[in-house]
């Protein structure tokens, strides 16, 4: 009996791949590099399929092969499969596709084991040990707007999925906390508040307005502009007064960002642009020693093949720029933090240029499939109902904190309308309104392929029907209610009860539950959170079908079906967690 590898205990696809690997070694020992292609079936022939016979035939025909064509290869692959408890039956279809039907008793046993040992036993195993996820990254003294929403939500979900997969994730907030704009901000601060040490966020008020007012002065008054430019030099020179003012402005900004992060339940470690300043000279020198940095019109640049404009790494005045920062940050993450994968969930700009420079320097390998690796997670725009970029009437970008507050307010109003003020405490009402409101915004973003634009519409997001967070949160609460109404101790049933998948709808639900690990792995590998959203929505649909056709409470199969309800709730909760959504337990 083949051991289907405990290290892949949650991943059906990988366990089947191990069995097919053994069969291929037996079937075509002359082709040791053949990797089995196992995919979930969409047809009625089985649960999974190995589609390798045709490509394998193209490799072996003409080599005195005993086989007469792809179907014969498929038959041999099926015959040579090691015996396994997980397989109920096999068949060969068409041009050698090997179809597998999994054993329902094996499926039931695996679900029951998860209920006892915990969902973390189904975590995918990923080869990467440490990853940097660079996301959110707002600019100091500017409001976080809806553009930052996508980066923050997508980045947090990717980080959560990687962390669940046992990857050491460094969540990096690469905030814009350095540069020439600080000269005008510091000078404006000195003007408005001579005793700036005592100033707080209440005194400054709206940081965005403060930034605009200082910019207007900078553009309109040459004397102010001159003072601002000198302030930049003094700040970079480390003069205490200017450093203190810079710290003050950064701290006030951070408090604003933190309000948003708190609402969204997002944790980041800040390593802003200023963090990398001490490393510039060494990195530029190392690149120069490799002959990569050249003089051009007084500046120092890196020429990149196929790109007309070179990457300027030291400006003609000897100063550093964004390219210097981003290239140094990449060097630091690879060499100091020893990241095997760096994922940028930001508006990347020239990022591809940095990768090419890093490959020339030997920091990154030339092949795309090799590690360490830098990946760029692009995303589309957030649109208004008019199909244009989402803004308020005054053409201002919407403040993120206002957006979140509005979702919570609307969510609370809907709960009040349903009479929940009579049933719940004020705290329960607030918590549920937050979970639904914030969850609705996150899910509306994440359910789309991140590369597409999406329309921000509260009515659609907060709809309790269709593929929305509200529908899914209510579905979870209903499952919890079924278990509660049974009056049974679910923890006790996990130890004493036996789960069976006798009815076709029980089996379909059970199979989908066991496809959780491979779904998370696919979402991680391709950096696509919508794959997990689709899985979660389908899970609720499978559950609805099961619950419509299989009586739970009061049936002869009550214990088994309650365990299946609990397994569904456990997997749903883990999906919610990975998407950064707080579950709701009653409605």
């Amino acid at each position: 009996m083949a051991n289907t590898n405990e290290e892949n205990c949650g991943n059906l696809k990988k366990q089947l791949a191990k069995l097919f690997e053994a069969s291929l070694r037996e079937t075509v020992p002359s082709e040791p590099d053949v990797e089995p292609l196992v995919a979930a079936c969409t047809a009625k022939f089985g649960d999974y399929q190995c589609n390798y016979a045709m490509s394998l035939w193209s490799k072996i025909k003409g080599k005195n092969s005993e086989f007469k064509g792809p179907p014969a290869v498929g038959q041999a692959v099926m015959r040579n499969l090691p015996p396994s408890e997980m397989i109920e039956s096999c068949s060969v279809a068409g041009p050698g596709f090997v179809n597998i039907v999994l054993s329902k008793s094996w499926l039931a046993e695996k679900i029951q084991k998860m209920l006892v040992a915990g969902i973390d036993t189904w975590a995918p195993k990923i080869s990467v040990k440490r990853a940097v996820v660079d996301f959110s990254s707002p600019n100091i003294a500017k409001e976080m707007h809806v553009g930052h929403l996508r980066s923050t939500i997508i980045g947090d979900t990717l980080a959560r999925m990687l962390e669940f997969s046992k990857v050491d994730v460094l969540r990096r907030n690469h905030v814009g906390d350095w540069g020439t704009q600080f000269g005008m901000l510091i000078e404006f601060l000195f003007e408005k508040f001579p005793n700036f040490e005592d100033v707080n966020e209440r005194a400054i008020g709206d940081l965005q307005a403060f930034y605009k007012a200082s910019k207007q002065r900078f553009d309109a008054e040459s004397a102010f502009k001159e003072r601002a430019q000198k302030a930049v030099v003094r700040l970079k020179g480390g003069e205490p007064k200017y450093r203190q003012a810079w710290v003050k402005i950064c701290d006030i900004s951070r408090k604003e960002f933190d309000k948003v992060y708190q609402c969204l339940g997002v944790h980041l470690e800040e390593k802003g642009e200023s963090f990398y300043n001490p490393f510039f000279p060494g990195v530029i020198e190392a690149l120069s020693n490799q002959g990569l940095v050249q003089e051009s019109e007084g500046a120092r640049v890196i020429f990149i093949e196929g790109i007309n404009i070179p990457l300027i790494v030291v400006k003609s005045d000897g100063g550093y720029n964004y390219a210097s920062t981003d290239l140094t940050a990449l060097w630091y993450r690879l060499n100091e933090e020893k990241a095997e994968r760096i994922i940028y969930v930001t508006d990347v700009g020239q990022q591809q240029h940095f990768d090419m420079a890093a490959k020339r320097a030997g920091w990154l390998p030339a092949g795309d499939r090799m590690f360490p690796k830098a990946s760029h997670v692009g995303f589309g725009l957030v649109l208004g109902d008019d199909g244009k970029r989402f803004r308020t009437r005054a053409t201002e970008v919407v403040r993120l904190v206002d957006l979140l507050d509005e979702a919570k307010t609307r969510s609370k109003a809907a709960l009040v309308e349903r009479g929940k003020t009579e049933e719940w405490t004020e705290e329960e009402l607030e918590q549920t309104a937050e979970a639904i409101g914030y969850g609705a915004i996150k899910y509306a973003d994440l359910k789309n392929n991140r590369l597409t634009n999406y329309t921000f519409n509260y009515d659609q997001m907060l709809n309790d029907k269709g593929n929305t967070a509200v529908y899914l949160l209510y579905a979870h609460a209903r499952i919890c209610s079924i278990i509660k109404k049974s009056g049974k101790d679910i923890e006790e049933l996990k130890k004493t009860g036996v789960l069976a998948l006798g009815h076709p709808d029980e089996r379909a639900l059970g199979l989908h539950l066991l496809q959780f690990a491979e779904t998370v792995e696919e979402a991680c590998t391709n950096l696509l959170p919508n794959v997990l959203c689709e899985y979660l929505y389908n899970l609720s649909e499978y559950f609805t079908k099961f619950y419509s056709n299989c009586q739970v409470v009061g049936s002869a199969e009550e214990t088994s079906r309650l365990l299946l309800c609990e397994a569904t709730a456990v997997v749903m909760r883990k999906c919610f967690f990975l998407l950064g959504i707080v579950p709701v337990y009653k409605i």
Side-chain angles (χ1 to χ4, degrees), residues 477-550:
R478 275 193 291 276
I479 297 171
C480 296
S481 162
I482 294 161
I483 295 167
K484 193 177 177 186
K485 277 180 186 164
S486 75
K488 298 289 184 343
D489 179 347
I490 199 73
E491 293 306 316
E492 198 53 42
L493 289 188
K494 286 180 193 177
K495 295 174 202 158
T496 58
V498 176
L499 197 151
L501 301 172
H503 190 282
D505 292 330
E506 290 177 311
R507 188 189 183 283
L509 175 59
L511 174 63
H512 192 71
L513 287 169
L514 272 158
Q515 287 170 336
F516 169 72
E518 65 203 52
T519 303
V520 176
E521 185 160 338
E522 183 193 337
C524 275
T525 304
N526 299 318
L527 306 173
L528 290 172
N530 62 296
V531 169
L532 184 62
C533 293
E534 189 182 345
Y535 170 87
L536 174 58
Y537 179 67
N538 289 338
L539 177 57
S540 74
E541 296 292 276
Y542 277 115
F543 182 83
T544 301
K545 199 172 178 205
F546 149 72
Y547 192 63
S548 303
N549 297 325
C550 302

Side-chain angles (χ1 to χ4, degrees), residues 164-183:
F164 177 60
S165 308
K166 309 290 188 287
V167 178
D168 175 21
V169 178
L170 307 180
R171 295 160 159 261
R172 289 285 175 262
N173 202 2
H174 189 78
V175 298
D177 67 351
W178 199 248
T180 51
Q181 76 272 25
F182 279 97

Side-chain angles (χ1 to χ4, degrees), residues 34-62:
V34 171
E35 291 288 332
L37 293 173
V38 178
C41 270
T42 47
K44 57 186 178 211
F45 300 113
D47 301 319
Y48 283 84
Q49 194 174 69
C50 183
N51 309 340
Y52 214 88
M54 282 178 78
S55 54
L56 189 54
W57 168 248
S58 68
K59 286 185 176 192
I60 59 174
K61 67 179 174 183

Side-chain angles (χ1 to χ4, degrees), residues 60 63 121 175 232 242 254 324 386 395 479 516 528 581:
I60 59 174
K63 292 186 182 176
T121 56
V175 298
V232 175
Y242 289 82
R254 266 185 213 108
S324 328
D386 58 359
T395 72
I479 297 171
F516 169 72
L528 290 172
I581 296 171

Side-chain angles (χ1 to χ4, degrees), residues 335-380:
N335 293 285
E336 295 294 318
E337 295 182 322
K338 308 290 185 206
E340 292 166 81
R341 191 158 194 194
I342 300 165
I343 297 162
Y344 294 95
V345 194
T346 49
D347 186 6
V348 291
Q350 291 181 297
Q351 202 60 57
Q352 258 74 15
H353 299 193
F354 305 135
D355 287 1
M356 291 167 89
K359 284 177 181 176
R360 280 192 67 196
W363 300 350
L364 290 172
D368 285 340
R369 295 191 169 196
M370 297 159 77
F371 290 97
K373 182 179 183 178
S375 305
H376 308 285
V377 175
F379 48 87

Side-chain angles (χ1 to χ4, degrees), residues 33-105:
D33 298 330
V34 171
E35 291 288 332
L37 293 173
V38 178
C41 270
T42 47
K44 57 186 178 211
F45 300 113
D47 301 319
Y48 283 84
Q49 194 174 69
C50 183
N51 309 340
Y52 214 88
M54 282 178 78
S55 54
L56 189 54
W57 168 248
S58 68
K59 286 185 176 192
I60 59 174
K61 67 179 174 183
K63 292 186 182 176
N64 300 322
S65 167
E66 60 187 279
F67 305 111
K68 299 284 188 286
V73 175
Q75 290 288 350
V77 169
M78 183 181 82
R79 273 197 312 276
N80 289 326
L81 275 170
S84 167
E85 291 175 345
M86 75 184 292
I87 296 176
E88 193 165 288
S89 64
C90 302
S91 60
V92 176
F97 297 152
V98 182
N99 295 310
I100 298 284
V101 175
L102 297 172
S103 154
K104 60 188 176 186
S105 61

Side-chain angles (χ1 to χ4, degrees), residues 70 353 434 555:
H353 299 193
E434 274 184 16
S555 69

Side-chain angles (χ1 to χ4, degrees), residues 17 49 63 69 184 197 221 279 282 286 317 327 405-406 429 437 453 464 475 532 550:
Q49 194 174 69
K63 292 186 182 176
M184 67 183 194
E197 296 90 344
E221 293 180 35
F279 302 98
D317 64 3
L327 202 53
D405 286 347
E406 176 70 9
L429 194 63
N453 299 340
D464 59 5
L532 184 62
C550 302

